[in-house]
Amino acid sequence: MNEKKIEELVAKLIVKTKNKEAIWDLTSRDNEFILNFEKGGSITTDNWPTDNGISCIDLNIRNDKGLTIYTVSYTELENAEKYNFLNQLHQAAKDSYFNVEDTLDDILKDINSNKIIGKADDSDKMPW
C-alpha cells in the first residue's frame, strides 16, 4: 500500500479526532482503540510495552469483512519519527474515547467557581 496514502490517512484522522469528528471505541485489549466506518471497515491503533520495556505502536486497517488489509508497527527505538506520528493518533483516540478535554474543562470550571466543590462518595456505604 502506498505509504504516502497512509501518512495522509493518519494525519487526517488526527485532525478529525482532535476536532471531535471521529468516534473511537475501546476494543477488548487494554489500550487498543477502534474507529468503525459507516460503510464497513475499521482502523485500530494499539500501544503496548514489550517485555524489555520498549514501547510499540501499531495501526491496522480492516476491510468490510473484518480482514486486515494493512498493518504497520514501530517501536520507539526502531523508528522514532514514525512511532511518534502514529502515537499522535493513538493519543488522540485515547483522549477522545476517555473524553479527556471535556472532563478537564468541567473540572477547571468547578475549581474556578465560587461554589464548594467535591462530593462524598457514598458507593461503599450500606443502604440501611
Side-chain angles (χ1 to χ4, degrees), residues 13-22 88 92 96:
L13 282 174
I14 291 168
V15 170
K16 278 202 135 343
T17 301
K18 287 182 176 184
N19 289 337
K20 298 181 182 181
E21 297 172 344
Q88 287 178 54
S96 173

Side-chain angles (χ1 to χ4, degrees), residues 31 45-58 72-84 86-88 90-91 94:
N31 205 25
T45 178
D46 196 1
N47 191 327
W48 68 97
T50 62
D51 291 339
N52 57 0
I54 297 170
S55 187
C56 296
I57 195 157
D58 72 9
V72 63
S73 63
Y74 302 105
T75 68
E76 59 188 336
L77 297 179
E78 163 190 47
N79 192 326
E81 183 179 341
K82 290 185 178 184
Y83 172 90
N84 289 331
L86 280 185
N87 195 46
Q88 287 178 54
H90 185 270
Q91 190 61 50
K94 183 176 183 178

Side-chain angles (χ1 to χ4, degrees), residues 5 30 98:
K5 259 188 200 178
D30 290 342
F98 287 110

